[in-house]
Amino acid sequence: QVQLAESGGGSVQAGGSLRLSCAASGNTDRLYSMGWFRQAPGKEREEVAIIFTRTGIRTYADFVQGRFTITQDKQNKIFYLRMNTLKPEDTAMYYCAANYLPGPYKTWGQGTQVTVSS
């Protein structure tokens, strides 16, 4: 079973950038996909980006609009979310998640806070 730990959140001004990291420990060789999600106060959690670890195929939510990039460093078991041109509406707790099979994510990190000021 994999364990996940996010880092890299912080406070930035609109237009700024952050790179979130998700360090995975345990068996990552058989992972099916990794995802980044976010949840703002009073709102439901939403998907931000997914990477299918075996093929490298990536998908993004519509609101990303080319600003974010999800990548994986398989050797070091770290997954990244590079976020550029941040907007105040990107403010949220960001979580990474993993699964071994298609379907709902079952393994989650503890989250890292991103705050974007105008």
Side-chain angles (χ1 to χ4, degrees):
Q1 189 70 19
V2 67
Q3 292 82 44
L4 306 173
E6 303 94 335
S7 61
S11 297
V12 297
Q13 290 190 329
S17 299
L18 285 173
R19 188 181 74 166
L20 306 184
S21 300
C22 176
S25 60
N27 187 349
T28 59
D29 293 340
R30 297 185 294 109
L31 285 176
Y32 173 73
S33 70
M34 292 284 297
W36 284 97
F37 296 77
R38 70 185 188 183
Q39 187 167 21
K43 295 187 177 181
E44 293 188 353
R45 185 171 60 199
E46 59 183 352
E47 179 183 304
V48 177
I50 303 292
I51 186 166
F52 296 91
T53 57
R54 299 169 196 169
T55 64
I57 294 174
R58 298 173 283 191
T59 66
Y60 297 93
D62 289 342
F63 62 76
V64 169
Q65 298 177 328
R67 301 179 296 127
F68 299 175
T69 304
I70 186 172
T71 57
Q72 58 178 344
D73 177 350
K74 286 187 174 181
Q75 181 175 1
N76 293 303
K77 299 182 179 182
I78 302 176
F79 298 82
Y80 298 100
L81 183 68
R82 176 70 181 183
M83 305 187 294
N84 296 325
T85 319
L86 283 162
K87 305 175 182 179
E89 52 263 43
D90 293 318
T91 295
M93 185 71 79
Y94 283 70
Y95 300 89
C96 65
N99 62 6
Y100 291 97
L101 295 170
Y105 285 86
K106 296 184 178 182
T107 302
W108 294 82
Q110 81 287 353
T112 186
Q113 178 68 37
V114 171
T115 302
V116 185
S117 58
S118 58

